[in-house]
Amino acid sequence: MSYAYATEPPTKGKVVLKTTMGDLEIELWPKEAPKAVRNFVQLCLEGYYDETQFHRLVKGFIVQGGDPTGTGTGGESIYSEPFPDEIHTRLRFSHRGLLAMANTTRNCNNSQFFFTLDKTPELDRKNTIFGKVVGDTIYNLLEIGEAEVGEDERPLYPIKINSVEVLSNPFDDIEPRTTALERKADHEAEERRLTAKDTNSRKIKGKKNLNLLSFGDEAETEEISMKAIAPNKRKIASSHDLLTGDQRLSKEGLDPTAKSSISVPAASSQEEVTPALKKRNMHNEKEESESEEDSSDDEMEQSKALPNAKQSSNAPSSKVSAVRSEVAKLQNELRQMESAKRAARATEASTDKSTQKMNPLEAMRNKYKGKALMGKRLKSSGEDKDILRNLAAFKDKILNPDESVSKSKPENLKEEKVCRLHGLAGCRSCVKHGGDDDADDDDSGLVLCSW
């Protein structure tokens, strides 16, 4: 890394980008990339980058900005056209914090730029490097690189460049086309104009003042004719509105009590009735006659259905009662079964609760207690008597030790011989060779070990 810094040429000029996540101090290479540095410095002096966003963030790769539209497709250079790339052999993408121009293709640079977050050798000889981040502000750049990213590599929370300050201008002949204050005032005026335009478009249009026009009479007559036509367009006229002479088509309808009051039109008036009206009257009479026939048929069917219903109601209901009794029995049986199941569940639940409350140690104790009780029950009375007899003998032995010894010693007990080899009386591992076991004075007989 130190080798990479050592091979870089010296810088000239300094700019500070004041972002929402801290300042970024940038040193420039105007000798190696004069067009790119001049373009960047002049745009900074004009306030072109103020209130712009870093619209693209690729973690571990780059952070891109410099587009006033914030879309990644806008921006223009001070030359009013894209300027070519400026590749230098001593400037390579060998470490983080480098500032370079962003382009869509070769020799197509405008206003967008990017910072590297790591070494990116794949960008060598493709993009123009014209500056680098220096000092402790490199940590602010790394913090920007750790921001959360959403869709299309855009930061979820916008990171803005609030303002730019040129501390050292490497070119003395730069003349800004405008200043940051003028650009800000123009921007505010444009916003006010757009808001005023929106409010004017939302206002309700006023009425026409026909007195101010030279052809006011003609326009007034046209408006009157349009108003007369408008109601007809809104509402369609019906036969009740057009044929007012026929009482059967009137809105109020015929009064059933006033049938006799309807007067038959005279012959002269009948001749004036149109053929269409005659056809309509004929059609209405046919409909009335058909409705009367339908009503009479319905009355006949109802009268026929009544006797059948009476017969069915008088039929014996013995089968129905039998079925109902069987259903009642089945229901009672089901209720009894359900009650038995509930009782069984309640007992199971109570036993489960008692076992759950009992500790494992208590359960083991109860288990072994039961076994001990069973063993005691199995013991016979004879065993108890033997135990008592042995206890009494033990008591007598403790109280009268001499008597117990005399009783226990047999009368015909012989003195046992002492083994010459082991020095033990009655050694059972030795046998007598060449004589009788009872001959104590015989020297020929030797007591030897059987080993």
Side-chain angles (χ1 to χ4, degrees):
M1 185 63 73
S2 61
Y3 174 76
Y5 283 105
T7 57
E8 291 176 353
T11 59
K12 184 182 178 182
K14 194 170 186 179
V15 177
V16 178
L17 296 181
K18 297 180 179 181
T19 70
T20 54
M21 299 187 74
D23 296 346
L24 298 175
E25 294 182 4
I26 302 167
E27 292 183 355
L28 304 171
W29 283 298
K31 186 178 178 181
E32 289 74 18
K35 289 186 177 180
V37 173
R38 181 180 287 271
N39 179 66
F40 181 74
V41 171
Q42 184 167 340
L43 291 176
C44 290
L45 292 171
E46 293 175 357
Y48 190 82
Y49 296 126
D50 294 354
E51 301 298 328
T52 58
Q53 298 181 9
F54 288 102
H55 58 270
R56 186 186 179 200
L57 170 58
V58 183
K59 291 191 176 183
F61 187 55
I62 61 167
V63 179
Q64 188 171 337
D67 182 8
T69 62
T71 59
T73 58
E76 59 180 10
S77 67
I78 62 172
Y79 310 109
S80 301
E81 61 181 1
F83 60 91
D85 298 332
E86 295 172 317
I87 308 300
H88 197 272
T89 55
R90 293 179 65 185
L91 295 176
R92 296 182 179 276
F93 291 94
S94 57
H95 59 89
R96 63 193 179 189
L98 293 172
L99 175 62
M101 294 301 298
N103 55 12
T104 53
T105 57
R106 292 288 181 90
N107 301 319
C108 186
N109 302 292
N110 285 299
S111 67
Q112 295 189 36
F113 56 86
F114 64 89
F115 294 96
T116 59
L117 300 174
D118 200 353
K119 58 181 181 180
T120 55
E122 61 270 20
L123 300 179
D124 286 337
R125 306 187 68 81
K126 293 180 182 179
N127 298 83
T128 302
I129 302 172
F130 65 93
K132 63 179 179 178
V133 180
V134 295
D136 293 337
T137 59
I138 188 68
Y139 298 110
N140 295 333
L141 178 64
L142 296 178
E143 189 176 356
I144 292 171
E146 294 297 327
E148 295 184 13
V149 182
E151 296 180 356
D152 300 331
E153 299 176 344
R154 293 183 68 88
L156 285 177
Y157 306 101
I159 305 167
K160 289 185 178 181
I161 300 173
N162 295 325
S163 62
V164 183
E165 184 180 359
V166 180
L167 298 179
S168 176
N169 190 350
F171 300 102
D172 298 333
D173 58 342
I174 290 178
E175 295 182 0
R177 296 168 294 182
T178 182
T179 62
L181 294 174
E182 291 176 357
R183 183 179 288 276
K184 187 175 181 181
D186 294 340
H187 183 67
E188 290 176 354
E190 184 68 20
E191 287 183 350
R192 284 196 299 270
R193 188 181 65 80
L194 292 173
T195 53
K197 187 177 179 181
D198 292 339
T199 53
N200 291 332
S201 62
R202 291 173 186 172
K203 285 182 179 179
I204 300 170
K205 294 181 179 180
K207 294 182 180 179
K208 293 180 181 179
N209 192 357
L210 302 175
N211 296 326
L212 300 176
L213 301 175
S214 60
F215 48 89
D217 297 335
E218 295 177 0
E220 192 171 356
T221 54
E222 287 179 1
E223 279 198 356
I224 291 166
S225 61
M226 290 296 290
K227 287 179 181 177
I229 294 167
N232 295 332
K233 287 184 179 178
R234 293 188 199 127
K235 186 178 178 182
I236 299 170
S238 64
S239 59
H240 301 291
D241 298 326
L242 297 175
L243 300 174
T244 57
D246 193 355
Q247 293 182 359
R248 288 177 294 180
L249 297 175
S250 64
K251 292 181 180 178
E252 297 174 355
L254 291 174
D255 190 1
T257 59
K259 286 183 180 180
S260 61
S261 63
I262 298 172
S263 61
V264 179
S268 60
S269 62
Q270 288 178 359
E271 291 176 358
E272 293 175 357
V273 177
T274 57
L277 186 59
K278 289 181 180 180
K279 290 181 181 179
R280 195 171 294 166
N281 294 336
M282 293 286 289
H283 181 68
N284 292 332
E285 290 176 358
K286 287 181 181 179
E287 287 182 351
E288 289 176 357
S289 62
E290 288 176 358
S291 64
E292 289 176 358
E293 290 176 359
D294 293 337
S295 62
S296 62
D297 293 338
D298 293 336
E299 289 176 356
M300 291 291 290
E301 288 177 357
Q302 289 177 0
S303 62
K304 289 179 181 179
L306 286 170
N308 294 329
K310 290 178 181 178
Q311 291 176 2
S312 61
S313 62
N314 294 327
S317 59
S318 60
K319 293 182 179 180
V320 176
S321 60
V323 170
R324 286 178 180 174
S325 62
E326 290 179 359
V327 170
K329 289 179 182 178
L330 291 171
Q331 287 178 351
N332 292 328
E333 290 177 358
L334 289 171
R335 288 194 194 97
Q336 292 175 359
M337 292 171 67
E338 287 178 357
S339 61
K341 286 180 180 179
R342 287 173 186 170
R345 288 173 185 170
T347 54
E348 288 178 359
S350 62
T351 54
D352 292 338
K353 287 180 181 178
S354 61
T355 54
Q356 286 176 2
K357 289 179 180 178
M358 190 181 296
N359 293 329
L361 182 61
E362 293 179 358
M364 292 290 290
R365 283 178 178 174
N366 293 334
K367 183 178 178 182
Y368 286 110
K369 279 181 182 178
K371 288 184 178 180
L373 291 171
M374 291 295 291
K376 287 180 181 178
R377 289 172 187 171
L378 291 173
K379 283 183 179 180
S380 61
S381 60
E383 291 179 355
D384 294 339
K385 291 178 181 179
D386 293 337
I387 290 167
L388 292 172
R389 192 182 301 111
N390 292 330
L391 287 171
F394 181 70
K395 186 177 180 181
D396 294 337
K397 185 176 181 181
I398 290 170
L399 295 173
N400 301 315
D402 297 333
E403 293 180 2
S404 62
V405 169
S406 61
K407 286 179 182 179
S408 61
K409 188 174 180 181
E411 295 177 355
N412 56 355
L413 182 63
K414 294 181 180 180
E415 294 182 359
E416 294 181 351
K417 294 180 181 180
V418 178
C419 177
R420 296 178 183 177
L421 181 62
H422 299 96
L424 299 174
C427 181
R428 298 188 181 280
S429 61
C430 298
V431 295
K432 186 178 180 181
H433 299 277
D436 190 6
D437 294 340
D438 297 330
D440 295 335
D441 297 331
D442 192 359
D443 295 334
S444 62
L446 297 176
V447 178
L448 299 175
C449 182
S450 61
W451 296 347

